[in-house]
């Protein structure tokens, strides 16, 4: 994870869908977040659970076979 890519705070590694949704649901209201995949891909500027689901599907990880890092982006 490169701080040049995203102005970030601390990443949370999620191994289960429950952990992932708990992190997304507990972030500050309307605060965008990023998802970092194990292969180095990153989706930034996500704003909702629907964005998260679409990102997971796009990256072939819809059922969280591989852990991901979630970072709440600073404004």
């Amino acid at each position: 994870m490169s701080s040049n890519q995203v102005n970030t705070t601390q990443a949370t590694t999620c191994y289960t869908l429950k952990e992932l949704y708990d992190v997304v649901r507990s972030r500050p209201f309307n605060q965008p977040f990023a998802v970092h995949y194990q292969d180095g891909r990153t989706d930034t500027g996500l704003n909702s659970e629907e964005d998260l689901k679409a990102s997971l599907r796009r990256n072939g990880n819809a059922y969280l076979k591989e852990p991901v890092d979630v970072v709440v982006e600073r404004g």
Side-chain angles (χ1 to χ4, degrees):
M1 174 172 51
S2 170
S3 61
N4 293 336
Q5 291 176 326
V6 181
N7 185 11
T8 62
T9 57
Q10 187 173 351
T12 302
T13 302
C14 300
Y15 296 92
T16 67
L17 287 171
K18 181 185 180 332
E19 288 176 323
L20 181 58
Y21 282 102
D22 285 348
V23 169
V24 169
R25 290 174 180 152
S26 67
R27 75 189 193 287
F29 181 70
N30 279 342
Q31 192 73 29
F33 61 96
V35 177
H36 302 279
Y37 294 90
Q38 297 295 310
D39 62 4
R41 290 181 284 182
T42 301
D43 274 350
T44 61
L46 304 175
N47 290 308
S48 67
E49 290 180 26
E50 291 303 316
D51 290 348
L52 173 62
K53 289 177 192 176
S55 173
L56 291 170
R57 283 191 296 269
R58 261 193 318 275
N59 288 284
N61 199 13
Y63 298 104
L64 211 60
K65 295 175 187 171
E66 297 290 328
V68 296
D69 294 326
V70 178
V71 178
V72 176
E73 299 174 356
R74 287 191 247 186

